[in-house]
Structures are given as C-alpha cells and as structure tokens.
C-alpha cells in the first residue's frame, strides 16, 4: 500500500502515468519502425545485388521492381532530353541528363543517363543513334518533400522525377518509372547515379523515448519521497 503522501496528489500521479504511457508508446513505435527500415534496406540491397531482369510487360507490375536491377534496349530520343538538378559530383555542380528510351516493344522509358558538369559543351556528350543495350536500377517511387520546387521552365530544369509533368512537357506517354543507368566508361554523361542512403536512426530514437520514460519515473519517485519527509 502506498504511503499517504503519495496518495495525496492523485492529479500528479495521473499526469505522470499518462506521460509515461505516451513515452513508452513512442519508444515501441520507433522499434517497430526500426524493424521496417531494416527490412526495407535488406530488400533494396538484395535487389541491387541480383542479375539484371527484364522490364515487366505489365505497367501494374512496375512498382514491385523498385530498386531492382533491370536490363533494357531501345533507341534514345535525344531531342526530348531533360535536365534534373542541381546535382553535384566530386563537389562539382551539374545536372543529371534524362533521356526517353523507346524500348524494342515501343514503350517509352525515361533513363537517367548520368551526371553532366555545368557548362559542358554539346560535343562532349555522347548521343548514340543506334539501338543501345543498357542496365541500371529501376526507380518507381518518387517522394517529394514540401520544399522541392516545381519545374523551372525558363531553365528547363526539373528538381524531382515528376513523370506526369515530364510527360506533358515532352508530349510522350512515359512509363511510371525511371531507369538510373549504370556507369559506362569515362565519357559523359557519367552514369551510376543511384545512391542507397536511407537514414536509420530509429534505435537511437527508441532509446531516447525509453530513457525519458525512465527519467520521468525517477523524478516522480524522488519528488514523492521528498514530499513524504515534509
């Protein structure tokens, strides 16, 4: 049975209990997020390590191939090329060159061919006219945060994979996916732009919430003990 001094402040006990439950719930939620994030990273790394697969024939199946290695062949539509930026490489400013690829089956897939430095002359950019075979990482999810600007028409510059907008500007019916091409030699554009950089701080967050819960309990006990001595 609790001392009388502990029972004298039920409002404080109730508030502490509610706060404790909230902190414990937040810590548990972060542990669940940790498990989800670890599974996501493992799936992405497994997909990157696999041999290149063929692009699925069904558009509905594309989403399941996010971060999968894909092989494709077709002809580039260089006159419909787009720029995604700004993008740095070795601390040098530049953009990514996005070029639609007319696949052998007639579908149109946007390809991120790689990085171009700012101010590069056109004669340094490879523009193959023949059918090309390439491989890369397929992207099908394109998150955009609240600070990402819209398309800059004056600079012809995109800031994210806005495939709906790109389809309107180019007049092409682009597939809802982007192939980020592998590096292909020393020329420009410089491929291999895919980066798997997923922040995973959920364990630290969970420990923080649980630590706050432990601190709350300690403060509550010390406070009640001091009240009991008065």
């Amino acid at each position: 049975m609790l001392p009388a001094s502990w029972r004298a402040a039920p409002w404080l006990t109730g508030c502490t209990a509610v706060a404790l439950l909230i902190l414990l719930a937040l810590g548990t939620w972060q542990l669940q997020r940790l498990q989800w994030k670890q599974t996501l990273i493992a799936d992405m790394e497994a997909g990157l390590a696999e041999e290149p697969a063929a692009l699925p024939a069904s558009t509905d199946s594309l989403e399941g191939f996010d971060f999968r290695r894909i092989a494709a062949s077709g002809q580039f539509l260089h006159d419909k090329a787009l720029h995604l930026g700004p993008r740095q490489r070795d601390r040098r400013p530049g953009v990514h060159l996005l070029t639609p690829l007319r696949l052998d089956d007639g579908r149109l897939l946007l390809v991120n061919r790689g990085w171009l430095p700012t101010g590069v002359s056109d004669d340094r950019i490879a523009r193959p006219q023949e059918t090309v075979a390439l491989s890369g990482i397929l992207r099908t999810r394109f998150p955009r945060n609240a600070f990402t600007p819209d398309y800059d028409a004056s600079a012809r510059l995109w800031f994210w994979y806005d495939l709906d907008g790109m389809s309107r500007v180019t007049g092409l019916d682009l597939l809802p996916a982007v192939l980020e091409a592998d590096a292909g030699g020393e020329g420009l554009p410089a491929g291999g732009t895919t980066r798997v950089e997923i922040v995973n701080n959920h364990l630290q967050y969970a420990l923080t919430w649980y630590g706050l819960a432990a601190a709350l309990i300690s403060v509550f006990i010390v406070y009640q003990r001091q009240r009991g001595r008065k």
Side-chain angles (χ1 to χ4, degrees), residues 185-208:
E186 299 298 327
L188 294 174
T193 62
T194 303
R195 298 290 182 270
V196 181
E197 298 175 349
I198 298 180
V199 178
N200 187 9
N201 295 324
H202 297 294
L203 179 59
Q204 294 92 312
Y205 296 153
L207 293 176
T208 298

Side-chain angles (χ1 to χ4, degrees), residues 11-174:
W11 64 269
L12 179 61
T13 302
C15 290
T16 301
V18 171
L20 180 62
L21 289 175
I22 292 174
L23 292 173
L24 292 175
L26 288 171
T28 302
W29 175 64
Q30 287 297 334
L31 288 180
Q32 293 170 345
R33 293 281 295 174
L34 172 64
Q35 184 177 10
W36 169 80
K37 189 65 69 67
Q38 289 174 333
T39 301
L40 175 63
I41 294 174
D43 290 344
M44 291 172 59
E45 291 177 344
L48 294 175
E50 292 179 356
E51 291 296 319
L55 192 71
S58 172
T59 302
D60 295 336
S61 302
L62 284 175
E63 189 172 347
F65 280 73
D66 191 43
F67 269 98
R68 288 282 304 276
R69 187 167 294 281
I70 294 295
S73 63
Q75 289 187 310
F76 282 121
L77 305 181
H78 297 292
D79 60 325
K80 300 290 187 179
L82 308 166
H83 289 159
L84 179 73
R87 295 292 188 271
Q88 286 193 350
R89 188 182 182 97
D90 299 328
R91 299 185 179 181
R92 297 174 61 194
V95 296
H96 286 178
L97 180 62
L98 311 181
T99 307
L101 180 73
R102 189 180 300 280
L103 299 169
D104 295 336
D105 61 9
R107 293 182 296 169
L108 294 165
L109 175 65
L110 191 65
V111 176
N112 183 334
R113 297 184 59 204
W115 177 82
L116 293 175
T118 298
V120 63
S121 59
D122 287 346
D123 59 355
R124 292 185 57 196
I125 303 174
R127 292 188 174 87
Q129 301 301 316
E130 69 280 3
T131 298
V132 297
L134 66 158
S135 63
I137 306 302
L138 195 70
R139 301 294 305 279
T140 63
R141 299 186 180 95
F142 314 113
R144 179 192 184 189
N145 62 47
F147 302 101
T148 304
D150 291 322
Y151 171 57
D152 186 343
S154 61
R156 299 181 60 195
L157 186 65
W158 299 85
F159 300 95
W160 64 293
Y161 289 135
D162 179 9
L163 289 179
D164 290 336
M166 292 174 179
S167 293
R168 288 194 300 269
V169 168
T170 60
L172 301 175
D173 184 16
L174 298 171

